[in-house]
């Protein structure tokens, strides 16, 4: 049963991750000023696949436990927000709204981590790297916003 649940959670992660293929960074993102701590491009897929495996193991572990409803609800919320950020930031090119989504994502990941921790410490620990990564992503989004104030105020193509 664990492996079936793992595959279901992993499929949800891949669904969220697929937005990266649907809304690639492209020339718009390459043209933005970015913070000095922006990781090289190769870091993102390596990090995300590792995080997706951790998130899926954590979800499968908790799904097998009594009283996991709240933790699984937060798991669902965080993966929905995870999948939403890319279309908002890269698709709509909306840095400010992206900051809002990643802020909500951070709180959803923290809430999921805490809810899981109460049921299974290993599952909670598996979400710690994800919280760290979303913290970095939040700082990157905020840095892009600060370094590109004109783009953050009004995304390209916005009516004005």
């Amino acid at each position: 049963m664990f492996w079936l649940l793992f595959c279901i959670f992993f499929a949800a992660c891949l669904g969220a991750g697929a937005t990266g293929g649907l809304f690639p960074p492209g020339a718009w993102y390459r043209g933005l000023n970015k913070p000095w701590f922006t990781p090289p491009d190769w870091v993102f897929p390596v990090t995300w696949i590792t995080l997706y495996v951790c998130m899926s193991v954590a979800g499968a572990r908790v799904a097998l436990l009594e009283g996991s409803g709240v933790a699984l609800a937060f798991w669902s919320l965080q993966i929905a927000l995870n999948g939403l950020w890319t279309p908002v930031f890269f698709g709509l090119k909306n840095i400010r709204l992206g900051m809002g989504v990643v802020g909500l994502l951070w709180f959803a990941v923290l809430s999921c981590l805490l809810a899981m921790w109460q049921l299974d410490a290993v599952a909670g620990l598996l979400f710690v790297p994800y919280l760290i990564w979303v913290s970095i992503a939040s700082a990157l989004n905020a840095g892009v916003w600060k370094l590109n104030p004109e783009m953050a105020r009004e995304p390209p193509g916005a009516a004005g």
Side-chain angles (χ1 to χ4, degrees):
M1 182 60 109
F2 171 84
W3 289 108
L4 174 61
L5 289 167
F6 171 84
C7 290
I8 293 168
F9 282 103
F10 195 65
C13 289
L14 293 179
T19 61
L22 296 172
F23 302 96
W28 171 78
Y29 181 71
R30 281 191 300 279
L32 292 175
N33 295 315
K34 290 176 257 341
W36 62 268
F37 57 89
T38 302
D41 290 345
W42 67 266
V43 169
F44 291 91
V46 171
T47 300
W48 276 115
I49 197 71
T50 302
L51 292 175
Y52 288 159
V53 169
C54 290
M55 293 160 58
S56 299
V57 169
R61 288 178 64 96
V62 168
L64 293 168
L65 302 174
E66 291 269 333
S68 61
V70 171
L72 294 176
F74 278 121
W75 197 100
S76 300
L77 177 61
Q78 66 78 23
I79 202 65
L81 291 167
N82 181 309
L84 180 62
W85 183 85
T86 300
V88 167
F89 190 88
F90 294 121
L92 296 176
K93 298 174 177 55
N94 194 323
I95 298 168
R96 184 175 29 194
L97 185 56
M99 191 70 227
V101 172
V102 80
L104 292 173
L105 174 59
W106 190 92
F107 281 108
V109 171
L110 175 63
S111 299
C112 187
L113 185 159
L114 294 173
M116 287 185 162
W117 191 286
Q118 292 177 1
L119 299 169
D120 179 23
V122 171
L125 284 172
L126 286 167
F127 256 63
V128 170
Y130 184 26
L131 184 63
I132 292 168
W133 185 249
V134 173
S135 298
I136 293 167
S138 298
L140 286 170
N141 196 143
V144 168
W145 186 358
K146 180 180 178 185
L147 295 170
N148 301 276
E150 304 80 25
M151 295 295 250
R153 248 189 313 279
E154 186 170 324

